[in-house]
Amino acid sequence: PKNNPELILLKFFINKSSLNIFFPHYRIKTKTHIIEVLMETLKYMILNPEIKEEDSFGKIVLIIDKMSRVFYFTKNKYYSISFPFFVEKLENEIKFGFKNIIEVESRLINQVLQIIKCDEFKEKCSLDFVAPICEFEENCDENFWSFLKDLLLMEDGYIRYDYDKDEYEKFKLKEEKNKHPLNHYDIFYSSINSFKLGLKKEISHEDFINILNTNKDCKYIEK
């Protein structure tokens, strides 16, 4: 697919069996988890299951304009990450590409997932990691390493909104409620960088999107 000349806005409703993929019980902590979520998102979009909104357990919203982001929503948790792919909408399908050098289709997606989850990826010796990459490049696509490398190095732009009553009440009992506000943003995901930004009230899905939409007026933080 080629560069997108106009606004792309797509919505996908999440079925029950896929909810834990996009909203696992443990929080996102690593770049490989971000990549895993992105790959699973592409698989879901390509599959494009026909889920009615009233039967769904959440939704995914893809917006490509001046910004390029994918948003994930449930009732009390929202998050967003960068979407580094091009999109081509055809009559009966959606195609994805990366830097005009590679089409991101099911086989490629499954290979990325296989590599970032395999034991060799976690080994200390780089040669163990190289073997499955070389094999895929020889048999399928010579641009695979360039694609995977860019995913590993990309700025993922992670941000999450939480309405977290349980943790808020725990901190409130310790008279430390402002350390874990009822409504808050979590900026970044690794423990050494992550911090919370408290909010005075709940926000809607539209509010969350608009805060990150570079075509909208900037929001201000009051002291």
Side-chain angles (χ1 to χ4, degrees):
K2 298 181 179 180
N3 292 13
N4 300 109
E6 75 283 328
L7 169 70
I8 299 287
L9 194 156
L10 301 171
K11 293 182 182 180
F12 303 84
F13 294 108
I14 302 172
N15 57 34
K16 185 176 182 180
S17 62
S18 300
L19 185 62
N20 286 339
I21 295 174
F22 304 115
F23 289 90
H25 297 299
Y26 51 91
R27 67 180 179 86
I28 290 174
K29 294 181 180 180
T30 65
K31 173 61 72 65
T32 53
H33 194 176
I34 291 283
I35 294 172
E36 181 181 342
V37 168
L38 268 178
M39 293 298 102
E40 293 288 357
T41 301
L42 291 173
K43 284 176 65 175
Y44 198 81
M45 290 177 175
I46 291 171
L47 180 62
N48 193 14
E50 294 185 6
I51 310 296
K52 294 181 180 179
E53 184 172 6
E54 58 268 26
D55 298 328
S56 68
F57 290 78
K59 69 179 177 181
I60 299 169
V61 178
L62 172 63
I63 300 177
I64 300 179
D65 193 10
K66 187 177 178 181
M67 69 171 179
S68 183
R69 278 186 168 272
V70 57
F71 297 82
Y72 305 83
F73 297 102
T74 60
K75 183 178 180 181
N76 294 326
K77 293 183 184 294
Y78 323 154
Y79 71 97
S80 175
I81 53 181
S82 174
F83 191 81
F85 310 107
F86 303 132
V87 181
E88 185 176 359
K89 294 192 297 181
L90 304 177
E91 186 175 350
N92 296 315
E93 64 178 330
I94 304 168
K95 287 190 174 183
F96 298 98
F98 185 77
K99 289 187 175 180
N100 289 333
I101 63 170
I102 193 168
E103 182 179 344
V104 186
E105 38 71 44
S106 297
R107 184 173 56 173
L108 180 73
I109 293 166
N110 289 333
Q111 185 65 20
V112 172
L113 288 169
Q114 181 180 330
I115 284 178
I116 64 175
K117 291 180 179 181
C118 73
D119 292 336
E120 289 84 355
F121 186 76
K122 301 166 188 172
E123 293 293 335
K124 294 181 180 179
C125 179
S126 61
L127 294 178
D128 294 322
F129 176 47
V130 167
I133 293 175
C134 291
E135 182 180 351
F136 191 82
E137 285 192 323
E138 290 175 4
N139 298 327
C140 300
D141 198 302
E142 63 183 9
N143 295 308
F144 179 69
W145 170 238
S146 294
F147 173 65
L148 181 58
K149 179 179 66 175
D150 282 349
L151 289 180
L152 291 167
L153 295 176
M154 76 172 185
E155 183 178 356
D156 49 66
Y158 176 86
I159 181 172
R160 184 174 80 245
Y161 163 77
D162 269 355
Y163 172 87
D164 193 341
K165 189 173 182 179
D166 291 340
E167 287 299 313
Y168 171 74
E169 293 296 340
K170 289 178 185 178
F171 278 82
K172 187 177 178 181
L173 287 173
K174 296 186 291 184
E175 297 184 350
E176 295 180 335
K177 65 180 182 179
N178 287 329
K179 289 185 177 178
H180 200 292
L182 180 61
N183 296 280
H184 64 269
Y185 293 119
D186 282 301
I187 316 294
F188 310 127
Y189 49 80
S190 63
S191 57
I192 196 170
N193 291 318
S194 182
F195 66 94
K196 299 183 187 303
L197 186 63
L199 298 167
K200 292 183 178 180
K201 61 181 181 179
E202 294 181 57
I203 63 169
S204 67
H205 296 179
E206 291 74 19
D207 290 334
F208 186 62
I209 291 173
N210 287 338
I211 285 169
L212 299 172
N213 190 344
T214 50
N215 281 327
K216 300 289 184 179
D217 291 343
C218 288
K219 304 298 180 184
Y220 287 82
I221 298 173
E222 296 181 2
K223 291 186 177 180

